[in-house]
Amino acid sequence: MAVTMTNPTGLPEIDVYRQVSVSTGSKLVFVAGQVAWDADGVTVGEGDLAAQVEQCYVNVGTALKSVGASFDDVAKLNVHVVDWTPDKMPLLLEGISRGAARLGTTSAPPATMLGVAALDIPEHLVEIEVTAVID
């Protein structure tokens, strides 16, 4: 595995991600922001943030697998949520948990969550992009 994650002393431990990742691999993998489309381009979970986060995770997993990577190789994760408010956190975490369970991963890479005004189409509530490192 080319990525090691840590929570340094002096920084808070967050359940859903680690504060730092160190990558030693030789190839960078940049996955475009994934939205809640299925393989046919149909939006999954319209109006349901948790369902859309889950689908985004699965889509990221599919993209990573196509190049011989997995969530264990993710060095950084960015999440963009439309009209973010803190009360949406339980739905975001539920979707991450469900997506991770479907992929069989417990990876918790450093993450940034950004609230945005809109995404590509009104039906999309979330977009997830990652950077991974593989040998």
Side-chain angles (χ1 to χ4, degrees):
M1 184 175 356
V3 179
T4 302
M5 292 179 267
T6 65
N7 279 317
T9 301
L11 294 177
E13 286 194 27
I14 309 297
D15 290 339
V16 295
Y17 66 88
R18 302 299 171 262
Q19 296 284 3
V20 176
S21 68
V22 177
S23 303
T24 58
S26 58
K27 294 181 185 178
L28 292 175
V29 178
F30 299 94
V31 177
Q34 296 298 303
V35 294
W37 276 329
D38 66 13
D40 296 319
V42 175
T43 298
V44 173
E46 191 168 334
D48 182 342
L49 180 60
Q52 288 200 16
V53 171
E54 178 182 359
Q55 185 63 44
C56 290
Y57 246 67
V58 169
N59 290 350
V60 168
T62 299
L64 290 168
K65 186 176 180 181
S66 76
V67 295
S70 73
F71 260 91
D72 290 336
D73 301 304
V74 173
K76 182 69 169 81
L77 181 140
N78 293 318
V79 180
H80 304 84
V81 180
V82 174
D83 297 326
W84 174 257
T85 55
D87 63 310
K88 293 180 180 177
M89 183 63 80
L91 293 171
L92 178 72
L93 296 177
E94 177 185 339
I96 289 171
S97 178
R98 290 180 358 202
R102 282 180 61 188
L103 295 170
T105 184
T106 58
S107 177
T112 299
M113 204 294 303
L114 300 167
V116 297
L119 292 170
D120 58 332
I121 61 173
E123 293 81 18
H124 289 157
L125 305 175
V126 62
E127 184 171 317
I128 299 176
E129 64 177 313
V130 302
T131 301
V133 180
I134 57 177
D135 292 318

